[in-house]
Amino acid sequence: MAAKVAEEWLNICGGCEVSILDIGDALLDLLPQLEFVHMPVLMDHKYHGQTGEGDPHKIEIPAADVGIISGGIRNEKEKAVALAMRNSCKTLITLGSCACFGGIPAMANMWTLEEMYEKVYRGSKTTEKSPTPNKDLPPLTDRVYAVDEAVKVDVAIPGCPPSPDMIKEALTCLLTGKPFTLPEKSVCDECPTKREKKAAGGDIKRPLDGMTFKQNAPWEETRCYMEQGYLCLGPVTKSGCAGQTTEAGEAKVPRCIKGYMPCRGCFGPVKKGANPLVDMMGAISSIGLKPEQVADRRALLSRYVGGQGRLKPLPAKPAPAKK
Ligand code: SF4
Ligand code: SF4
Ligand code: SF4
């Protein structure tokens, strides 16, 4: 019998759903084993009964074996949908960095709601100023939350976007009753670049500003990007984006590293609850670079993980003393 699947998107861009499609041909093998009973991106399903006859205060999600949620929680409606998904689904998966850690939208957690309303609506410098919208819209939550801050989550598939191979692997594990977990290893643990445990010298550079690599050369000839002076979050980011091995049996290379880009940290912390901002300061110092040279480090080093209490508004600066 096919496993019933419910999928919901909360505070999202839609890229996670595209990753499901990116599974490609292998999705055709999986589909006969899956029955999608709820998926707003693909099918019309009302929350209060198909003709609106249901309880307007209760969100109805059909019962499912597997629930998949992409996106974090930015408003009260999304929180209620996450709760309804939890109640209706035996196993709940968070898909993508927004659902797992708050993702890019959680960078807004650096400001209070009032500061954001002021900047975006009341004091807008680029569009007509307007009052804070409050009609026919669910109220915003005080900050962006990762889904596991609101409900219990059974399986997390991080990534922005998540890797199609990993989604396929997780679904296959669930269908065959095997556990799906990611090891507590870092992107560096899977990175084939050459390391000398010290920076080549100089200051921290802007991304790609004079990076040295030879396309398609053996990886041992490419110096670690961080040791070249580029901010690479590989030391503090969970591995897994590389997948396992190629068809030829060779180890795969982390996605951005393979594209000659430093890791931006989208798979989140290596260990649950870790703070990449703090850990990265240590990693930068340990090879002789200067952490104080990282511009806007709160935002850059917590870019995907600002939920779960990692990004907060800074305390207001005291007013200058009157002379
Ligand atoms: S994790 Fe990335 S791809 Fe997925 S919804 Fe968030 S921003 Fe989009
Ligand atoms: S810092 Fe980046 S480039 Fe260097 S080993 Fe780690 S992942 Fe690879
Ligand atoms: S290398 Fe880093 S930023 Fe790139 S996909 Fe992997 S975890 Fe995400």
Side-chain angles (χ1 to χ4, degrees), residues 250-280:
E250 296 153 2
K252 282 191 180 173
V253 177
R255 277 195 304 198
C256 299
I257 307 303
K258 190 176 179 186
Y260 306 108
M261 282 289 292
C263 170
R264 300 152 297 126
C266 81
F267 264 56
V270 179
K271 289 189 182 172
K272 194 171 166 58
N275 191 333
L277 167 66
V278 176
D279 296 343
M280 195 61 198

mmCIF file of all heavy atoms in Angstrom, residues 250-280:
data_model
loop_
_atom_site.group_PDB
_atom_site.id
_atom_site.type_symbol
_atom_site.label_atom_id
_atom_site.label_comp_id
_atom_site.label_asym_id
_atom_site.label_seq_id
_atom_site.Cartn_x
_atom_site.Cartn_y
_atom_site.Cartn_z
ATOM 1 N N GLU A 250 33.887 7.171 -6.664
ATOM 2 C CA GLU A 250 34.754 8.186 -6.053
ATOM 3 C C GLU A 250 33.939 9.020 -5.059
ATOM 4 O O GLU A 250 32.736 9.197 -5.245
ATOM 5 C CB GLU A 250 35.301 9.138 -7.128
ATOM 6 C CG GLU A 250 36.202 8.462 -8.126
ATOM 7 C CD GLU A 250 36.189 9.194 -9.465
ATOM 8 O OE1 GLU A 250 35.518 10.232 -9.585
ATOM 9 O OE2 GLU A 250 36.842 8.694 -10.391
ATOM 10 N N ALA A 251 34.645 9.543 -4.034
ATOM 11 C CA ALA A 251 33.955 10.382 -3.056
ATOM 12 C C ALA A 251 33.474 11.654 -3.744
ATOM 13 O O ALA A 251 34.175 12.221 -4.587
ATOM 14 C CB ALA A 251 34.903 10.722 -1.919
ATOM 15 N N LYS A 252 32.279 12.097 -3.425
ATOM 16 C CA LYS A 252 31.773 13.332 -4.023
ATOM 17 C C LYS A 252 32.324 14.541 -3.269
ATOM 18 O O LYS A 252 32.800 14.419 -2.137
ATOM 19 C CB LYS A 252 30.251 13.337 -3.977
ATOM 20 C CG LYS A 252 29.628 12.465 -5.052
ATOM 21 C CD LYS A 252 28.150 12.734 -5.128
ATOM 22 C CE LYS A 252 27.498 11.873 -6.193
ATOM 23 N NZ LYS A 252 26.040 12.001 -6.157
ATOM 24 N N VAL A 253 32.233 15.694 -3.898
ATOM 25 C CA VAL A 253 32.794 16.925 -3.341
ATOM 26 C C VAL A 253 31.636 17.821 -2.893
ATOM 27 O O VAL A 253 30.636 17.922 -3.611
ATOM 28 C CB VAL A 253 33.644 17.637 -4.428
ATOM 29 C CG1 VAL A 253 34.195 18.953 -3.914
ATOM 30 C CG2 VAL A 253 34.755 16.718 -4.906
ATOM 31 N N PRO A 254 31.736 18.474 -1.706
ATOM 32 C CA PRO A 254 30.637 19.370 -1.278
ATOM 33 C C PRO A 254 30.245 20.332 -2.399
ATOM 34 O O PRO A 254 31.095 20.819 -3.155
ATOM 35 C CB PRO A 254 31.246 20.098 -0.073
ATOM 36 C CG PRO A 254 32.253 19.135 0.467
ATOM 37 C CD PRO A 254 32.826 18.418 -0.721
ATOM 38 N N ARG A 255 28.942 20.627 -2.461
ATOM 39 C CA ARG A 255 28.384 21.316 -3.639
ATOM 40 C C ARG A 255 29.085 22.622 -4.003
ATOM 41 O O ARG A 255 29.459 22.842 -5.143
ATOM 42 C CB ARG A 255 26.899 21.607 -3.413
ATOM 43 C CG ARG A 255 26.006 20.445 -3.715
ATOM 44 C CD ARG A 255 24.549 20.827 -3.830
ATOM 45 N NE ARG A 255 24.040 21.494 -2.649
ATOM 46 C CZ ARG A 255 22.744 21.616 -2.382
ATOM 47 N NH1 ARG A 255 21.854 21.124 -3.200
ATOM 48 N NH2 ARG A 255 22.331 22.232 -1.313
ATOM 49 N N CYS A 256 29.227 23.527 -3.024
ATOM 50 C CA CYS A 256 29.807 24.842 -3.367
ATOM 51 C C CYS A 256 31.299 24.714 -3.642
ATOM 52 O O CYS A 256 31.823 25.389 -4.540
ATOM 53 C CB CYS A 256 29.558 25.844 -2.246
ATOM 54 S SG CYS A 256 27.810 26.086 -1.962
ATOM 55 N N ILE A 257 31.973 23.868 -2.880
ATOM 56 C CA ILE A 257 33.422 23.683 -3.068
ATOM 57 C C ILE A 257 33.668 23.231 -4.515
ATOM 58 O O ILE A 257 34.555 23.722 -5.203
ATOM 59 C CB ILE A 257 33.970 22.630 -2.067
ATOM 60 C CG1 ILE A 257 33.578 22.993 -0.627
ATOM 61 C CG2 ILE A 257 35.476 22.433 -2.235
ATOM 62 C CD1 ILE A 257 34.019 24.335 -0.137
ATOM 63 N N LYS A 258 32.823 22.314 -4.971
ATOM 64 C CA LYS A 258 32.940 21.813 -6.340
ATOM 65 C C LYS A 258 32.748 22.928 -7.363
ATOM 66 O O LYS A 258 33.324 22.926 -8.452
ATOM 67 C CB LYS A 258 31.880 20.724 -6.559
ATOM 68 C CG LYS A 258 32.041 19.962 -7.828
ATOM 69 C CD LYS A 258 31.019 18.869 -7.876
ATOM 70 C CE LYS A 258 31.160 18.100 -9.164
ATOM 71 N NZ LYS A 258 30.104 17.125 -9.305
ATOM 72 N N GLY A 259 31.914 23.908 -7.010
ATOM 73 C CA GLY A 259 31.683 25.046 -7.904
ATOM 74 C C GLY A 259 32.669 26.170 -7.663
ATOM 75 O O GLY A 259 32.406 27.301 -8.079
ATOM 76 N N TYR A 260 33.753 25.901 -6.924
ATOM 77 C CA TYR A 260 34.808 26.902 -6.623
ATOM 78 C C TYR A 260 34.243 28.093 -5.856
ATOM 79 O O TYR A 260 34.596 29.242 -6.117
ATOM 80 C CB TYR A 260 35.541 27.345 -7.909
ATOM 81 C CG TYR A 260 36.084 26.175 -8.693
ATOM 82 C CD1 TYR A 260 35.507 25.779 -9.884
ATOM 83 C CD2 TYR A 260 37.161 25.437 -8.211
ATOM 84 C CE1 TYR A 260 35.968 24.680 -10.585
ATOM 85 C CE2 TYR A 260 37.639 24.324 -8.901
ATOM 86 C CZ TYR A 260 37.038 23.954 -10.089
ATOM 87 O OH TYR A 260 37.497 22.857 -10.772
ATOM 88 N N MET A 261 33.344 27.788 -4.952
ATOM 89 C CA MET A 261 32.774 28.806 -4.059
ATOM 90 C C MET A 261 32.963 28.331 -2.618
ATOM 91 O O MET A 261 32.821 27.142 -2.338
ATOM 92 C CB MET A 261 31.264 28.930 -4.293
ATOM 93 C CG MET A 261 30.869 29.714 -5.503
ATOM 94 S SD MET A 261 31.175 31.464 -5.315
ATOM 95 C CE MET A 261 29.986 31.917 -4.071
ATOM 96 N N PRO A 262 33.240 29.244 -1.697
ATOM 97 C CA PRO A 262 33.298 28.831 -0.286
ATOM 98 C C PRO A 262 31.919 28.381 0.201
ATOM 99 O O PRO A 262 30.898 28.790 -0.345
ATOM 100 C CB PRO A 262 33.734 30.109 0.444
ATOM 101 C CG PRO A 262 34.221 31.046 -0.604
ATOM 102 C CD PRO A 262 33.537 30.676 -1.881
ATOM 103 N N CYS A 263 31.902 27.540 1.239
ATOM 104 C CA CYS A 263 30.633 27.101 1.842
ATOM 105 C C CYS A 263 29.988 28.281 2.562
ATOM 106 O O CYS A 263 30.653 29.035 3.260
ATOM 107 C CB CYS A 263 30.927 25.970 2.836
ATOM 108 S SG CYS A 263 29.511 25.528 3.850
ATOM 109 N N ARG A 264 28.662 28.427 2.403
ATOM 110 C CA ARG A 264 27.936 29.532 3.056
ATOM 111 C C ARG A 264 27.196 29.066 4.299
ATOM 112 O O ARG A 264 26.494 29.815 4.937
ATOM 113 C CB ARG A 264 26.921 30.134 2.064
ATOM 114 C CG ARG A 264 27.527 30.702 0.800
ATOM 115 C CD ARG A 264 26.549 30.629 -0.369
ATOM 116 N NE ARG A 264 26.220 29.253 -0.698
ATOM 117 C CZ ARG A 264 24.987 28.773 -0.767
ATOM 118 N NH1 ARG A 264 23.952 29.542 -0.573
ATOM 119 N NH2 ARG A 264 24.766 27.498 -1.045
ATOM 120 N N GLY A 265 27.280 27.770 4.589
ATOM 121 C CA GLY A 265 26.709 27.296 5.856
ATOM 122 C C GLY A 265 25.277 26.821 5.783
ATOM 123 O O GLY A 265 24.602 26.742 6.808
ATOM 124 N N CYS A 266 24.776 26.459 4.575
ATOM 125 C CA CYS A 266 23.331 26.217 4.472
ATOM 126 C C CYS A 266 22.871 24.923 5.142
ATOM 127 O O CYS A 266 21.685 24.770 5.399
ATOM 128 C CB CYS A 266 22.859 26.278 3.020
ATOM 129 S SG CYS A 266 23.115 24.798 2.059
ATOM 130 N N PHE A 267 23.787 23.995 5.435
ATOM 131 C CA PHE A 267 23.356 22.758 6.109
ATOM 132 C C PHE A 267 23.269 22.926 7.625
ATOM 133 O O PHE A 267 22.959 21.984 8.344
ATOM 134 C CB PHE A 267 24.274 21.586 5.733
ATOM 135 C CG PHE A 267 23.717 20.766 4.599
ATOM 136 C CD1 PHE A 267 23.388 21.358 3.396
ATOM 137 C CD2 PHE A 267 23.507 19.403 4.735
ATOM 138 C CE1 PHE A 267 22.853 20.619 2.351
ATOM 139 C CE2 PHE A 267 22.976 18.644 3.703
ATOM 140 C CZ PHE A 267 22.644 19.252 2.511
ATOM 141 N N GLY A 268 23.571 24.122 8.109
ATOM 142 C CA GLY A 268 23.396 24.386 9.534
ATOM 143 C C GLY A 268 24.517 23.809 10.377
ATOM 144 O O GLY A 268 25.496 23.266 9.872
ATOM 145 N N PRO A 269 24.381 23.939 11.706
ATOM 146 C CA PRO A 269 25.479 23.549 12.596
ATOM 147 C C PRO A 269 25.790 22.053 12.549
ATOM 148 O O PRO A 269 24.897 21.239 12.290
ATOM 149 C CB PRO A 269 24.970 23.920 13.985
ATOM 150 C CG PRO A 269 23.599 24.426 13.840
ATOM 151 C CD PRO A 269 23.211 24.451 12.410
ATOM 152 N N VAL A 270 27.027 21.709 12.800
ATOM 153 C CA VAL A 270 27.443 20.296 12.793
ATOM 154 C C VAL A 270 26.672 19.525 13.864
ATOM 155 O O VAL A 270 26.183 18.433 13.631
ATOM 156 C CB VAL A 270 28.970 20.196 13.053
ATOM 157 C CG1 VAL A 270 29.416 18.741 13.069
ATOM 158 C CG2 VAL A 270 29.743 20.979 11.990
ATOM 159 N N LYS A 271 26.542 20.137 15.047
ATOM 160 C CA LYS A 271 25.800 19.471 16.127
ATOM 161 C C LYS A 271 24.573 20.292 16.461
ATOM 162 O O LYS A 271 24.629 21.524 16.459
ATOM 163 C CB LYS A 271 26.663 19.380 17.385
ATOM 164 C CG LYS A 271 27.785 18.406 17.253
ATOM 165 C CD LYS A 271 28.472 18.200 18.583
ATOM 166 C CE LYS A 271 29.617 17.243 18.355
ATOM 167 N NZ LYS A 271 30.486 17.073 19.436
ATOM 168 N N LYS A 272 23.485 19.612 16.793
ATOM 169 C CA LYS A 272 22.246 20.307 17.169
ATOM 170 C C LYS A 272 22.537 21.284 18.313
ATOM 171 O O LYS A 272 23.227 20.937 19.271
ATOM 172 C CB LYS A 272 21.210 19.266 17.612
ATOM 173 C CG LYS A 272 19.806 19.782 17.721
ATOM 174 C CD LYS A 272 18.871 18.606 17.956
ATOM 175 C CE LYS A 272 17.504 18.999 18.402
ATOM 176 N NZ LYS A 272 16.696 19.811 17.709
ATOM 177 N N GLY A 273 22.067 22.491 18.182
ATOM 178 C CA GLY A 273 22.215 23.473 19.262
ATOM 179 C C GLY A 273 23.508 24.265 19.201
ATOM 180 O O GLY A 273 23.679 25.210 19.965
ATOM 181 N N ALA A 274 24.451 23.890 18.312
ATOM 182 C CA ALA A 274 25.713 24.643 18.235
ATOM 183 C C ALA A 274 25.456 26.024 17.626
ATOM 184 O O ALA A 274 24.435 26.254 16.986
ATOM 185 C CB ALA A 274 26.723 23.878 17.398
ATOM 186 N N ASN A 275 26.400 26.934 17.860
ATOM 187 C CA ASN A 275 26.265 28.279 17.308
ATOM 188 C C ASN A 275 27.423 28.544 16.340
ATOM 189 O O ASN A 275 28.557 28.808 16.770
ATOM 190 C CB ASN A 275 26.266 29.317 18.432
ATOM 191 C CG ASN A 275 25.852 30.678 17.919
ATOM 192 O OD1 ASN A 275 26.043 30.985 16.738
ATOM 193 N ND2 ASN A 275 25.280 31.483 18.779
ATOM 194 N N PRO A 276 27.164 28.459 15.023
ATOM 195 C CA PRO A 276 28.248 28.614 14.044
ATOM 196 C C PRO A 276 28.993 29.940 14.171
ATOM 197 O O PRO A 276 30.183 30.006 13.887
ATOM 198 C CB PRO A 276 27.524 28.531 12.695
ATOM 199 C CG PRO A 276 26.254 27.813 12.969
ATOM 200 C CD PRO A 276 25.876 28.157 14.376
ATOM 201 N N LEU A 277 28.300 30.991 14.618
ATOM 202 C CA LEU A 277 28.958 32.299 14.746
ATOM 203 C C LEU A 277 30.128 32.194 15.725
ATOM 204 O O LEU A 277 31.258 32.600 15.415
ATOM 205 C CB LEU A 277 27.934 33.334 15.228
ATOM 206 C CG LEU A 277 28.477 34.676 15.705
ATOM 207 C CD1 LEU A 277 29.112 35.435 14.560
ATOM 208 C CD2 LEU A 277 27.374 35.517 16.321
ATOM 209 N N VAL A 278 29.873 31.604 16.879
ATOM 210 C CA VAL A 278 30.908 31.492 17.912
ATOM 211 C C VAL A 278 32.001 30.532 17.428
ATOM 212 O O VAL A 278 33.200 30.827 17.498
ATOM 213 C CB VAL A 278 30.272 30.973 19.227
ATOM 214 C CG1 VAL A 278 31.341 30.755 20.288
ATOM 215 C CG2 VAL A 278 29.198 31.933 19.711
ATOM 216 N N ASP A 279 31.582 29.384 16.904
ATOM 217 C CA ASP A 279 32.562 28.372 16.494
ATOM 218 C C ASP A 279 33.427 28.875 15.340
ATOM 219 O O ASP A 279 34.607 28.548 15.238
ATOM 220 C CB ASP A 279 31.842 27.075 16.088
ATOM 221 C CG ASP A 279 31.111 26.465 17.275
ATOM 222 O OD1 ASP A 279 31.413 26.841 18.423
ATOM 223 O OD2 ASP A 279 30.207 25.632 17.048
ATOM 224 N N MET A 280 32.834 29.671 14.462
ATOM 225 C CA MET A 280 33.584 30.148 13.292
ATOM 226 C C MET A 280 34.658 31.160 13.695
ATOM 227 O O MET A 280 35.729 31.212 13.084
ATOM 228 C CB MET A 280 32.610 30.767 12.289
ATOM 229 C CG MET A 280 33.165 30.968 10.912
ATOM 230 S SD MET A 280 33.670 29.439 10.100
ATOM 231 C CE MET A 280 34.731 30.128 8.841
#
